[in-house]
Amino acid sequence: MSAAPVRPPSVTDALLVLEGLLLGGGQRTARRNAWTAVLEDRRRAKDRHEAEHVLEAVSAGASQAT
């Protein structure tokens, strides 16, 4: 029976290991929380942008109807 081939570590894996060695657990959690907040801000900005387009389209349609 042969062993499964071992995949070499990716850059992401190496950076996570390095982060774990250099930063304490609290700092790591803070960085992840900050990144989650950035992603959530981007999602909200996208939602606002889409809502603006919908409101503009509705407004344009209403002004043409009158």
Side-chain angles (χ1 to χ4, degrees), residues 9-63:
S10 69
V11 173
T12 301
D13 294 338
L15 289 174
L16 286 173
V17 168
L18 185 59
E19 179 187 48
L21 293 173
L22 295 177
L23 301 176
Q27 286 180 333
R28 201 171 343 160
T29 300
R31 288 176 61 114
R32 287 196 179 118
N33 288 345
W35 183 245
T36 300
V38 166
L39 296 177
E40 183 63 22
D41 287 346
R42 288 179 181 175
R43 185 195 61 77
R44 282 194 299 266
K46 181 182 171 210
D47 289 347
R48 278 193 307 273
H49 186 70
E50 291 173 355
E52 285 176 11
H53 283 289
V54 169
L55 291 174
E56 287 171 2
V58 168
S59 175
S63 65

